[in-house]
Short mmCIF file of all heavy atoms in Angstrom, two decimals:
data_model
loop_
_atom_site.label_atom_id
_atom_site.label_comp_id
_atom_site.label_asym_id
_atom_site.label_seq_id
_atom_site.Cartn_x
_atom_site.Cartn_y
_atom_site.Cartn_z
N MET A 1 20.73 -0.06 25.31
CA MET A 1 19.97 0.09 24.03
C MET A 1 18.47 0.03 24.23
O MET A 1 17.79 0.92 23.85
CB MET A 1 20.45 -1.00 23.10
CG MET A 1 19.94 -0.92 21.75
SD MET A 1 20.80 -2.06 20.69
CE MET A 1 20.34 -1.45 19.19
N TYR A 2 18.00 -0.99 24.78
CA TYR A 2 16.56 -1.16 25.08
C TYR A 2 16.35 -0.89 26.60
O TYR A 2 17.10 -1.30 27.38
CB TYR A 2 16.04 -2.55 24.75
CG TYR A 2 16.17 -2.95 23.31
CD1 TYR A 2 17.03 -3.82 22.83
CD2 TYR A 2 15.29 -2.22 22.30
CE1 TYR A 2 17.16 -4.16 21.52
CE2 TYR A 2 15.47 -2.55 20.94
CZ TYR A 2 16.38 -3.52 20.56
OH TYR A 2 16.44 -3.83 19.32
N ARG A 3 15.33 -0.16 26.88
CA ARG A 3 15.03 0.06 28.25
C ARG A 3 13.73 -0.48 28.71
O ARG A 3 12.73 -0.33 27.94
CB ARG A 3 15.21 1.58 28.61
CG ARG A 3 14.25 2.46 27.85
CD ARG A 3 14.54 3.90 28.23
NE ARG A 3 13.63 4.75 27.44
CZ ARG A 3 12.43 5.02 27.84
NH1 ARG A 3 11.99 4.69 28.96
NH2 ARG A 3 11.65 5.77 27.07
N PRO A 4 13.62 -0.97 29.86
CA PRO A 4 12.30 -1.52 30.37
C PRO A 4 11.27 -0.43 30.70
O PRO A 4 11.72 0.64 31.04
CB PRO A 4 12.69 -2.34 31.58
CG PRO A 4 14.00 -1.78 32.04
CD PRO A 4 14.72 -1.27 30.84
N PHE A 5 10.05 -0.76 30.56
CA PHE A 5 9.02 0.23 31.00
C PHE A 5 8.95 0.19 32.50
O PHE A 5 9.20 -0.82 33.10
CB PHE A 5 7.66 -0.21 30.37
CG PHE A 5 7.58 -0.02 28.82
CD1 PHE A 5 6.77 -0.89 28.13
CD2 PHE A 5 8.33 0.95 28.17
CE1 PHE A 5 6.68 -0.70 26.73
CE2 PHE A 5 8.24 1.04 26.80
CZ PHE A 5 7.39 0.18 26.11
N SER A 6 8.36 1.28 32.98
CA SER A 6 8.13 1.35 34.46
C SER A 6 6.98 0.41 34.77
O SER A 6 6.15 0.05 33.94
CB SER A 6 7.81 2.71 34.88
OG SER A 6 6.56 3.16 34.40
N LEU A 7 6.89 -0.06 35.98
CA LEU A 7 5.82 -0.91 36.49
C LEU A 7 4.43 -0.21 36.28
O LEU A 7 3.49 -0.82 35.82
CB LEU A 7 5.95 -1.28 37.92
CG LEU A 7 4.92 -2.21 38.49
CD1 LEU A 7 4.87 -3.52 37.81
CD2 LEU A 7 5.14 -2.36 39.98
N PHE A 8 4.39 1.12 36.45
CA PHE A 8 3.16 1.88 36.31
C PHE A 8 2.68 1.80 34.84
O PHE A 8 1.50 1.56 34.52
CB PHE A 8 3.40 3.31 36.69
CG PHE A 8 2.19 4.18 36.52
CD1 PHE A 8 1.13 4.01 37.36
CD2 PHE A 8 2.14 5.14 35.48
CE1 PHE A 8 -0.02 4.82 37.24
CE2 PHE A 8 1.02 5.98 35.38
CZ PHE A 8 -0.05 5.79 36.18
N LYS A 9 3.64 1.92 33.88
CA LYS A 9 3.23 1.91 32.47
C LYS A 9 2.80 0.48 32.06
O LYS A 9 1.88 0.34 31.24
CB LYS A 9 4.42 2.33 31.60
CG LYS A 9 4.12 2.51 30.15
CD LYS A 9 5.26 3.13 29.37
CE LYS A 9 4.82 3.39 27.93
NZ LYS A 9 5.87 4.09 27.19
N ILE A 10 3.48 -0.57 32.56
CA ILE A 10 3.07 -1.95 32.28
C ILE A 10 1.59 -2.16 32.78
O ILE A 10 0.81 -2.78 32.08
CB ILE A 10 4.05 -2.92 32.90
CG1 ILE A 10 5.43 -2.82 32.19
CG2 ILE A 10 3.47 -4.30 32.80
CD1 ILE A 10 6.50 -3.61 32.88
N ILE A 11 1.35 -1.68 34.02
CA ILE A 11 0.00 -1.90 34.55
C ILE A 11 -1.06 -1.16 33.74
O ILE A 11 -2.09 -1.65 33.48
CB ILE A 11 -0.03 -1.56 36.07
CG1 ILE A 11 0.79 -2.45 36.83
CG2 ILE A 11 -1.42 -1.39 36.61
CD1 ILE A 11 1.01 -2.04 38.29
N LEU A 12 -0.77 0.05 33.34
CA LEU A 12 -1.68 0.80 32.48
C LEU A 12 -1.92 0.10 31.15
O LEU A 12 -2.97 0.07 30.61
CB LEU A 12 -1.14 2.23 32.24
CG LEU A 12 -1.32 3.18 33.35
CD1 LEU A 12 -0.71 4.57 32.98
CD2 LEU A 12 -2.76 3.37 33.73
N ARG A 13 -0.91 -0.44 30.49
CA ARG A 13 -1.03 -1.12 29.31
C ARG A 13 -1.93 -2.41 29.42
O ARG A 13 -2.74 -2.63 28.64
CB ARG A 13 0.41 -1.59 28.74
CG ARG A 13 1.23 -0.46 28.30
CD ARG A 13 2.64 -0.97 27.88
NE ARG A 13 2.59 -1.84 26.68
CZ ARG A 13 2.77 -1.40 25.51
NH1 ARG A 13 3.06 -0.13 25.28
NH2 ARG A 13 2.77 -2.28 24.48
N ARG A 14 -1.71 -3.09 30.56
CA ARG A 14 -2.54 -4.25 30.73
C ARG A 14 -4.00 -3.91 31.09
O ARG A 14 -4.88 -4.64 30.68
CB ARG A 14 -1.91 -5.19 31.85
CG ARG A 14 -0.60 -5.72 31.27
CD ARG A 14 0.09 -6.68 32.14
NE ARG A 14 1.28 -7.13 31.46
CZ ARG A 14 2.05 -8.06 31.95
NH1 ARG A 14 1.88 -8.62 33.11
NH2 ARG A 14 3.13 -8.46 31.22
N ILE A 15 -4.23 -2.86 31.82
CA ILE A 15 -5.58 -2.47 32.07
C ILE A 15 -6.29 -2.03 30.76
O ILE A 15 -7.43 -2.37 30.55
CB ILE A 15 -5.60 -1.24 33.08
CG1 ILE A 15 -5.26 -1.72 34.48
CG2 ILE A 15 -6.95 -0.57 33.06
CD1 ILE A 15 -5.09 -0.69 35.48
N PHE A 16 -5.47 -1.39 29.90
CA PHE A 16 -6.06 -0.99 28.57
C PHE A 16 -6.39 -2.22 27.77
O PHE A 16 -7.43 -2.22 27.10
CB PHE A 16 -5.06 -0.14 27.75
CG PHE A 16 -5.38 0.05 26.36
CD1 PHE A 16 -6.39 0.97 26.03
CD2 PHE A 16 -4.79 -0.71 25.32
CE1 PHE A 16 -6.77 1.10 24.71
CE2 PHE A 16 -5.17 -0.49 24.03
CZ PHE A 16 -6.17 0.38 23.71
N VAL A 17 -5.54 -3.23 27.78
CA VAL A 17 -5.79 -4.45 27.01
C VAL A 17 -7.11 -5.17 27.51
O VAL A 17 -8.00 -5.55 26.80
CB VAL A 17 -4.57 -5.41 27.09
CG1 VAL A 17 -5.00 -6.85 26.53
CG2 VAL A 17 -3.48 -4.87 26.31
N VAL A 18 -7.25 -5.24 28.85
CA VAL A 18 -8.45 -5.88 29.44
C VAL A 18 -9.73 -5.08 28.99
O VAL A 18 -10.69 -5.66 28.55
CB VAL A 18 -8.31 -5.99 30.93
CG1 VAL A 18 -9.62 -6.39 31.53
CG2 VAL A 18 -7.26 -6.95 31.27
N LEU A 19 -9.66 -3.73 29.17
CA LEU A 19 -10.82 -2.91 28.76
C LEU A 19 -11.07 -3.01 27.30
O LEU A 19 -12.30 -3.10 26.86
CB LEU A 19 -10.57 -1.46 29.17
CG LEU A 19 -10.61 -1.19 30.66
CD1 LEU A 19 -10.31 0.24 30.94
CD2 LEU A 19 -11.96 -1.58 31.22
N ALA A 20 -10.07 -3.01 26.42
CA ALA A 20 -10.23 -3.10 24.95
C ALA A 20 -10.88 -4.40 24.59
O ALA A 20 -11.71 -4.52 23.74
CB ALA A 20 -8.94 -2.82 24.31
N GLY A 21 -10.39 -5.50 25.18
CA GLY A 21 -10.91 -6.84 24.97
C GLY A 21 -12.33 -6.93 25.37
O GLY A 21 -13.12 -7.52 24.63
N LEU A 22 -12.69 -6.40 26.52
CA LEU A 22 -14.06 -6.48 26.97
C LEU A 22 -15.02 -5.61 26.17
O LEU A 22 -16.15 -6.07 25.86
CB LEU A 22 -14.21 -6.03 28.47
CG LEU A 22 -13.58 -7.05 29.50
CD1 LEU A 22 -13.60 -6.44 30.88
CD2 LEU A 22 -14.39 -8.42 29.43
N LEU A 23 -14.55 -4.43 25.85
CA LEU A 23 -15.44 -3.54 25.08
C LEU A 23 -15.59 -4.02 23.57
O LEU A 23 -16.66 -3.81 23.02
CB LEU A 23 -14.92 -2.09 25.04
CG LEU A 23 -14.92 -1.41 26.41
CD1 LEU A 23 -14.29 -0.06 26.32
CD2 LEU A 23 -16.40 -1.33 26.90
N SER A 24 -14.59 -4.68 23.02
CA SER A 24 -14.64 -5.10 21.63
C SER A 24 -15.30 -6.47 21.53
O SER A 24 -15.70 -6.86 20.40
CB SER A 24 -13.26 -5.11 21.01
OG SER A 24 -12.49 -6.09 21.67
N PHE A 25 -15.47 -7.24 22.61
CA PHE A 25 -16.04 -8.58 22.51
C PHE A 25 -17.33 -8.65 21.80
O PHE A 25 -17.53 -9.52 20.89
CB PHE A 25 -16.05 -9.20 23.87
CG PHE A 25 -16.58 -10.57 23.88
CD1 PHE A 25 -15.81 -11.60 23.36
CD2 PHE A 25 -17.88 -10.89 24.32
CE1 PHE A 25 -16.27 -12.93 23.33
CE2 PHE A 25 -18.36 -12.17 24.30
CZ PHE A 25 -17.57 -13.20 23.83
N PRO A 26 -18.33 -7.79 22.14
CA PRO A 26 -19.65 -7.91 21.47
C PRO A 26 -19.55 -7.73 19.95
O PRO A 26 -20.40 -8.25 19.23
CB PRO A 26 -20.52 -6.79 22.13
CG PRO A 26 -19.91 -6.49 23.36
CD PRO A 26 -18.39 -6.82 23.26
N ILE A 27 -18.61 -6.93 19.52
CA ILE A 27 -18.47 -6.74 18.05
C ILE A 27 -17.66 -7.82 17.40
O ILE A 27 -17.92 -8.25 16.34
CB ILE A 27 -17.80 -5.33 17.85
CG1 ILE A 27 -18.66 -4.22 18.38
CG2 ILE A 27 -17.52 -5.04 16.37
CD1 ILE A 27 -18.00 -2.88 18.55
N VAL A 28 -16.63 -8.19 18.11
CA VAL A 28 -15.65 -9.16 17.52
C VAL A 28 -16.29 -10.59 17.36
O VAL A 28 -15.90 -11.24 16.39
CB VAL A 28 -14.38 -9.24 18.43
CG1 VAL A 28 -13.47 -10.41 18.07
CG2 VAL A 28 -13.60 -8.00 18.43
N ILE A 29 -17.26 -10.96 18.15
CA ILE A 29 -17.85 -12.28 18.02
C ILE A 29 -18.57 -12.45 16.68
O ILE A 29 -18.76 -13.59 16.27
CB ILE A 29 -18.75 -12.66 19.19
CG1 ILE A 29 -19.87 -11.63 19.32
CG2 ILE A 29 -18.01 -12.77 20.51
CD1 ILE A 29 -20.93 -12.02 20.36
N PHE A 30 -18.95 -11.29 15.99
CA PHE A 30 -19.64 -11.43 14.75
C PHE A 30 -18.66 -11.34 13.60
O PHE A 30 -19.14 -11.42 12.43
CB PHE A 30 -20.67 -10.34 14.64
CG PHE A 30 -21.76 -10.52 15.69
CD1 PHE A 30 -21.92 -9.60 16.69
CD2 PHE A 30 -22.64 -11.56 15.61
CE1 PHE A 30 -22.92 -9.74 17.66
CE2 PHE A 30 -23.66 -11.73 16.59
CZ PHE A 30 -23.77 -10.82 17.66
N LEU A 31 -17.40 -11.15 13.82
CA LEU A 31 -16.38 -10.99 12.74
C LEU A 31 -15.92 -12.42 12.33
O LEU A 31 -16.01 -13.40 13.17
CB LEU A 31 -15.20 -10.17 13.25
CG LEU A 31 -15.49 -8.71 13.44
CD1 LEU A 31 -14.23 -8.08 14.05
CD2 LEU A 31 -15.96 -7.97 12.21
N PRO A 32 -15.36 -12.61 11.21
CA PRO A 32 -14.80 -13.84 10.80
C PRO A 32 -13.66 -14.32 11.74
O PRO A 32 -12.92 -13.44 12.37
CB PRO A 32 -14.25 -13.67 9.38
CG PRO A 32 -14.74 -12.40 8.93
CD PRO A 32 -15.25 -11.59 10.16
N ILE A 33 -13.39 -15.55 11.84
CA ILE A 33 -12.33 -16.11 12.77
C ILE A 33 -10.95 -15.50 12.44
O ILE A 33 -10.23 -15.20 13.40
CB ILE A 33 -12.39 -17.60 12.82
CG1 ILE A 33 -13.63 -18.15 13.38
CG2 ILE A 33 -11.19 -18.14 13.58
CD1 ILE A 33 -13.83 -19.58 13.35
N SER A 34 -10.57 -15.37 11.26
CA SER A 34 -9.25 -14.86 10.91
C SER A 34 -9.15 -13.43 11.42
O SER A 34 -8.06 -13.06 11.96
CB SER A 34 -9.05 -14.85 9.41
OG SER A 34 -10.02 -14.09 8.75
N THR A 35 -10.16 -12.54 11.27
CA THR A 35 -10.04 -11.21 11.79
C THR A 35 -10.06 -11.22 13.23
O THR A 35 -9.31 -10.38 13.94
CB THR A 35 -11.22 -10.32 11.23
OG1 THR A 35 -11.33 -10.50 9.84
CG2 THR A 35 -11.10 -8.89 11.66
N ARG A 36 -10.87 -12.03 13.91
CA ARG A 36 -10.98 -12.09 15.36
C ARG A 36 -9.61 -12.53 15.93
O ARG A 36 -9.19 -11.90 16.93
CB ARG A 36 -12.05 -13.17 15.71
CG ARG A 36 -12.34 -13.28 17.18
CD ARG A 36 -13.44 -14.33 17.49
NE ARG A 36 -14.42 -14.43 16.40
CZ ARG A 36 -15.14 -15.52 16.25
NH1 ARG A 36 -15.06 -16.47 17.11
NH2 ARG A 36 -16.04 -15.52 15.38
N SER A 37 -8.94 -13.47 15.37
CA SER A 37 -7.72 -14.02 15.89
C SER A 37 -6.63 -12.95 15.67
O SER A 37 -5.74 -12.69 16.52
CB SER A 37 -7.28 -15.27 15.27
OG SER A 37 -7.12 -15.08 13.89
N ARG A 38 -6.72 -12.13 14.64
CA ARG A 38 -5.72 -11.11 14.36
C ARG A 38 -5.86 -9.92 15.48
O ARG A 38 -4.85 -9.50 15.99
CB ARG A 38 -5.91 -10.52 13.00
CG ARG A 38 -4.76 -9.55 12.64
CD ARG A 38 -4.86 -9.05 11.19
NE ARG A 38 -5.50 -9.91 10.28
CZ ARG A 38 -6.41 -9.62 9.43
NH1 ARG A 38 -6.95 -8.38 9.45
NH2 ARG A 38 -7.00 -10.41 8.60
N ILE A 39 -7.13 -9.58 15.77
CA ILE A 39 -7.32 -8.57 16.79
C ILE A 39 -6.80 -9.02 18.11
O ILE A 39 -6.15 -8.24 18.84
CB ILE A 39 -8.84 -8.21 16.86
CG1 ILE A 39 -9.27 -7.45 15.60
CG2 ILE A 39 -9.14 -7.36 18.06
CD1 ILE A 39 -10.76 -7.27 15.43
N TYR A 40 -7.14 -10.23 18.55
CA TYR A 40 -6.68 -10.73 19.85
C TYR A 40 -5.17 -10.95 19.87
O TYR A 40 -4.56 -10.84 20.87
CB TYR A 40 -7.50 -11.88 20.25
CG TYR A 40 -8.84 -11.52 20.79
CD1 TYR A 40 -10.03 -12.00 20.14
CD2 TYR A 40 -9.04 -10.63 21.70
CE1 TYR A 40 -11.27 -11.60 20.52
CE2 TYR A 40 -10.30 -10.24 22.21
CZ TYR A 40 -11.39 -10.72 21.61
OH TYR A 40 -12.65 -10.29 21.99
N SER A 41 -4.58 -11.27 18.72
CA SER A 41 -3.16 -11.40 18.67
C SER A 41 -2.45 -10.05 18.94
O SER A 41 -1.50 -9.98 19.62
CB SER A 41 -2.75 -11.92 17.32
OG SER A 41 -1.32 -11.95 17.17
N TYR A 42 -3.01 -8.91 18.34
CA TYR A 42 -2.50 -7.62 18.62
C TYR A 42 -2.58 -7.26 20.08
O TYR A 42 -1.68 -6.73 20.73
CB TYR A 42 -3.26 -6.56 17.79
CG TYR A 42 -2.97 -6.60 16.27
CD1 TYR A 42 -3.98 -6.34 15.43
CD2 TYR A 42 -1.71 -6.81 15.84
CE1 TYR A 42 -3.77 -6.36 14.06
CE2 TYR A 42 -1.42 -6.84 14.48
CZ TYR A 42 -2.51 -6.63 13.64
OH TYR A 42 -2.27 -6.64 12.27
N LEU A 43 -3.74 -7.64 20.69
CA LEU A 43 -3.93 -7.35 22.11
C LEU A 43 -2.95 -8.15 22.98
O LEU A 43 -2.41 -7.68 23.96
CB LEU A 43 -5.34 -7.66 22.54
CG LEU A 43 -6.45 -6.69 21.99
CD1 LEU A 43 -7.81 -7.15 22.43
CD2 LEU A 43 -6.18 -5.30 22.58
N ASP A 44 -2.70 -9.43 22.53
CA ASP A 44 -1.77 -10.24 23.25
C ASP A 44 -0.32 -9.66 23.21
O ASP A 44 0.34 -9.65 24.20
CB ASP A 44 -1.78 -11.69 22.73
CG ASP A 44 -0.87 -12.60 23.52
OD1 ASP A 44 -1.03 -12.63 24.78
OD2 ASP A 44 -0.06 -13.31 22.93
N ARG A 45 0.07 -9.22 22.07
CA ARG A 45 1.38 -8.58 21.86
C ARG A 45 1.45 -7.30 22.70
O ARG A 45 2.58 -7.06 23.30
CB ARG A 45 1.65 -8.25 20.44
CG ARG A 45 2.60 -9.32 19.81
CD ARG A 45 2.99 -8.83 18.41
NE ARG A 45 1.91 -9.28 17.55
CZ ARG A 45 1.59 -8.79 16.39
NH1 ARG A 45 2.41 -7.82 15.93
NH2 ARG A 45 0.64 -9.30 15.63
N TYR A 46 0.40 -6.55 22.77
CA TYR A 46 0.48 -5.31 23.56
C TYR A 46 0.50 -5.69 25.06
O TYR A 46 1.18 -4.98 25.83
CB TYR A 46 -0.82 -4.47 23.23
CG TYR A 46 -0.72 -3.05 23.64
CD1 TYR A 46 -0.02 -2.17 22.92
CD2 TYR A 46 -1.39 -2.59 24.79
CE1 TYR A 46 0.07 -0.85 23.27
CE2 TYR A 46 -1.30 -1.27 25.17
CZ TYR A 46 -0.59 -0.45 24.39
OH TYR A 46 -0.51 0.94 24.72
N TRP A 47 -0.09 -6.76 25.45
CA TRP A 47 -0.12 -7.20 26.91
C TRP A 47 1.34 -7.64 27.25
O TRP A 47 1.83 -7.31 28.32
CB TRP A 47 -1.07 -8.39 27.03
CG TRP A 47 -1.03 -9.02 28.40
CD1 TRP A 47 -0.10 -9.96 28.79
CD2 TRP A 47 -1.88 -8.72 29.50
NE1 TRP A 47 -0.42 -10.29 30.10
CE2 TRP A 47 -1.52 -9.61 30.54
CE3 TRP A 47 -2.97 -7.93 29.64
CZ2 TRP A 47 -2.16 -9.59 31.77
CZ3 TRP A 47 -3.66 -7.94 30.87
CH2 TRP A 47 -3.26 -8.79 31.89
N LEU A 48 2.03 -8.37 26.38
CA LEU A 48 3.34 -8.96 26.69
C LEU A 48 4.48 -7.87 26.73
O LEU A 48 5.56 -8.19 27.24
CB LEU A 48 3.64 -10.03 25.67
CG LEU A 48 2.87 -11.30 25.72
CD1 LEU A 48 3.21 -12.24 24.62
CD2 LEU A 48 2.99 -12.01 27.03
N LYS A 49 4.29 -6.80 26.04
CA LYS A 49 5.38 -5.78 25.87
C LYS A 49 5.71 -5.11 27.22
O LYS A 49 4.89 -4.48 27.80
CB LYS A 49 5.02 -4.74 24.86
CG LYS A 49 6.16 -3.98 24.29
CD LYS A 49 5.71 -3.36 23.04
CE LYS A 49 6.84 -2.44 22.54
NZ LYS A 49 7.95 -3.10 21.99
N THR A 50 6.90 -5.37 27.66
CA THR A 50 7.40 -4.78 28.94
C THR A 50 8.57 -3.85 28.79
O THR A 50 9.13 -3.34 29.74
CB THR A 50 7.72 -5.90 29.96
OG1 THR A 50 8.75 -6.72 29.37
CG2 THR A 50 6.50 -6.70 30.28
N SER A 51 8.99 -3.70 27.47
CA SER A 51 10.10 -2.73 27.28
C SER A 51 9.96 -2.23 25.85
O SER A 51 9.04 -2.66 25.08
CB SER A 51 11.51 -3.47 27.43
OG SER A 51 11.70 -4.34 26.35
N ASN A 52 10.89 -1.32 25.40
CA ASN A 52 10.80 -0.88 24.04
C ASN A 52 11.46 -1.82 23.09
O ASN A 52 11.62 -1.50 21.86
CB ASN A 52 11.32 0.55 23.93
CG ASN A 52 12.78 0.64 24.34
OD1 ASN A 52 13.43 -0.28 24.82
ND2 ASN A 52 13.32 1.87 24.20
N LYS A 53 11.87 -2.93 23.54
CA LYS A 53 12.39 -4.02 22.67
C LYS A 53 11.20 -4.74 21.98
O LYS A 53 10.20 -5.01 22.59
CB LYS A 53 13.15 -5.09 23.51
CG LYS A 53 13.75 -6.22 22.69
CD LYS A 53 14.40 -7.27 23.60
CE LYS A 53 15.63 -6.67 24.25
NZ LYS A 53 16.41 -7.69 24.97
N PRO A 54 11.35 -5.11 20.74
CA PRO A 54 10.24 -5.81 20.05
C PRO A 54 9.95 -7.12 20.71
O PRO A 54 10.88 -7.79 21.20
CB PRO A 54 10.76 -6.00 18.64
CG PRO A 54 11.89 -5.01 18.41
CD PRO A 54 12.45 -4.77 19.81
N VAL A 55 8.60 -7.45 20.80
CA VAL A 55 8.16 -8.68 21.48
C VAL A 55 8.84 -9.91 20.82
O VAL A 55 9.30 -10.82 21.51
CB VAL A 55 6.64 -8.72 21.51
CG1 VAL A 55 6.20 -10.08 22.04
CG2 VAL A 55 6.11 -7.66 22.29
N TRP A 56 8.88 -9.94 19.48
CA TRP A 56 9.41 -11.10 18.79
C TRP A 56 10.89 -11.29 19.11
O TRP A 56 11.42 -12.46 19.28
CB TRP A 56 9.26 -11.01 17.26
CG TRP A 56 10.04 -9.86 16.67
CD1 TRP A 56 9.55 -8.62 16.45
CD2 TRP A 56 11.38 -9.87 16.17
NE1 TRP A 56 10.55 -7.79 15.83
CE2 TRP A 56 11.68 -8.57 15.74
CE3 TRP A 56 12.41 -10.84 16.19
CZ2 TRP A 56 12.89 -8.23 15.21
CZ3 TRP A 56 13.60 -10.49 15.70
CH2 TRP A 56 13.83 -9.19 15.21
N LEU A 57 11.69 -10.23 19.34
CA LEU A 57 13.07 -10.31 19.67
C LEU A 57 13.25 -10.87 21.10
O LEU A 57 14.08 -11.75 21.30
CB LEU A 57 13.79 -8.94 19.53
CG LEU A 57 15.25 -8.88 19.78
CD1 LEU A 57 16.04 -9.85 18.91
CD2 LEU A 57 15.71 -7.51 19.68
N LYS A 58 12.41 -10.37 22.04
CA LYS A 58 12.48 -10.86 23.39
C LYS A 58 12.19 -12.42 23.47
O LYS A 58 12.82 -13.11 24.14
CB LYS A 58 11.52 -10.07 24.34
CG LYS A 58 11.71 -10.42 25.71
CD LYS A 58 10.82 -9.46 26.62
CE LYS A 58 11.01 -9.87 28.05
NZ LYS A 58 10.27 -8.92 28.95
N GLN A 59 11.10 -12.80 22.78
CA GLN A 59 10.73 -14.15 22.77
C GLN A 59 11.80 -15.03 22.03
O GLN A 59 12.00 -16.21 22.49
CB GLN A 59 9.43 -14.36 22.00
CG GLN A 59 8.24 -13.72 22.74
CD GLN A 59 6.95 -13.88 21.95
OE1 GLN A 59 6.91 -14.01 20.83
NE2 GLN A 59 5.85 -13.83 22.79
N THR A 60 12.43 -14.56 21.00
CA THR A 60 13.52 -15.28 20.40
C THR A 60 14.70 -15.45 21.34
O THR A 60 15.24 -16.58 21.43
CB THR A 60 14.09 -14.50 19.13
OG1 THR A 60 12.93 -14.36 18.27
CG2 THR A 60 15.11 -15.29 18.40
N GLU A 61 15.14 -14.40 22.05
CA GLU A 61 16.21 -14.51 23.03
C GLU A 61 15.83 -15.51 24.16
O GLU A 61 16.64 -16.31 24.63
CB GLU A 61 16.50 -13.19 23.61
CG GLU A 61 17.13 -12.21 22.64
CD GLU A 61 17.30 -10.84 23.18
OE1 GLU A 61 16.75 -10.55 24.22
OE2 GLU A 61 17.98 -10.04 22.52
N HIS A 62 14.59 -15.47 24.57
CA HIS A 62 14.14 -16.38 25.68
C HIS A 62 14.14 -17.86 25.16
O HIS A 62 14.55 -18.73 25.91
CB HIS A 62 12.70 -15.98 26.10
CG HIS A 62 12.23 -16.93 27.18
ND1 HIS A 62 12.80 -16.98 28.46
CD2 HIS A 62 11.12 -17.72 27.19
CE1 HIS A 62 12.09 -17.89 29.14
NE2 HIS A 62 11.13 -18.29 28.46
N GLY A 63 13.72 -18.07 23.88
CA GLY A 63 13.68 -19.43 23.37
C GLY A 63 15.08 -20.01 23.12
O GLY A 63 15.27 -21.18 23.30
N ALA A 64 16.05 -19.10 22.78
CA ALA A 64 17.43 -19.57 22.55
C ALA A 64 18.04 -20.06 23.84
O ALA A 64 18.91 -20.98 23.82
CB ALA A 64 18.22 -18.47 21.97
N LYS A 65 17.72 -19.47 24.92
CA LYS A 65 18.29 -19.92 26.22
C LYS A 65 17.85 -21.32 26.56
O LYS A 65 18.60 -22.05 27.33
CB LYS A 65 17.89 -18.94 27.30
CG LYS A 65 18.53 -17.56 27.18
CD LYS A 65 18.05 -16.63 28.24
CE LYS A 65 18.57 -15.27 28.03
NZ LYS A 65 18.01 -14.34 29.03
N GLU A 66 16.70 -21.75 26.11
CA GLU A 66 16.28 -23.12 26.46
C GLU A 66 17.14 -24.20 25.80
O GLU A 66 17.18 -25.33 26.23
CB GLU A 66 14.82 -23.25 26.03
CG GLU A 66 13.88 -22.41 26.88
CD GLU A 66 12.44 -22.52 26.40
OE1 GLU A 66 12.19 -23.24 25.43
OE2 GLU A 66 11.59 -21.83 27.00
N PHE A 67 17.76 -23.82 24.62
CA PHE A 67 18.48 -24.87 23.87
C PHE A 67 19.95 -24.97 24.39
O PHE A 67 20.66 -25.88 24.11
CB PHE A 67 18.53 -24.46 22.41
CG PHE A 67 17.15 -24.60 21.82
CD1 PHE A 67 16.55 -23.54 21.24
CD2 PHE A 67 16.51 -25.87 21.77
CE1 PHE A 67 15.24 -23.70 20.65
CE2 PHE A 67 15.25 -26.07 21.23
CZ PHE A 67 14.66 -24.93 20.66
N TYR A 68 20.44 -23.98 25.14
CA TYR A 68 21.79 -23.89 25.53
C TYR A 68 21.98 -24.32 27.00
O TYR A 68 21.21 -24.13 27.81
CB TYR A 68 22.44 -22.53 25.33
CG TYR A 68 22.50 -22.14 23.91
CD1 TYR A 68 21.75 -21.07 23.32
CD2 TYR A 68 23.28 -22.92 22.95
CE1 TYR A 68 21.82 -20.79 22.03
CE2 TYR A 68 23.32 -22.52 21.64
CZ TYR A 68 22.57 -21.52 21.17
OH TYR A 68 22.66 -21.20 19.87
#
């Protein structure tokens, strides 16, 4: 059902996140904290995504294993 991304695609996504974070930093520091945290939250979700499965679903499955 869900398929993992290739290592090449994961590396490209993470390079993009680093570049986007660095390039947006001079602008983002002047934004309100709520907007700033929302932007970096999107970048964090983009960084963590390693398959076409939603990040929240993967984190939920990982958290459930800790209780069992």
Side-chain angles (χ1 to χ4, degrees):
M1 185 171 195
Y2 297 110
R3 60 184 179 87
F5 293 151
S6 67
L7 181 61
F8 180 71
K9 188 169 185 177
I10 293 171
I11 290 172
L12 283 180
R13 289 175 69 93
R14 292 186 177 183
I15 289 172
F16 171 76
V17 169
V18 169
L19 289 176
L22 288 174
L23 293 175
S24 66
F25 180 73
I27 299 165
V28 171
I29 59 173
F30 296 111
L31 295 175
I33 292 177
S34 61
T35 307
R36 187 182 326 162
S37 62
R38 190 176 328 130
I39 290 171
Y40 285 120
S41 176
Y42 290 141
L43 289 176
D44 185 53
R45 257 186 278 158
Y46 199 76
W47 175 278
L48 292 175
K49 196 162 175 69
T50 57
S51 70
N52 59 356
K53 181 185 291 191
V55 173
W56 64 266
L57 181 59
K58 185 173 182 178
Q59 289 176 340
T60 303
E61 291 172 350
H62 179 65
K65 291 177 185 174
E66 293 177 359
F67 294 119
Y68 297 113

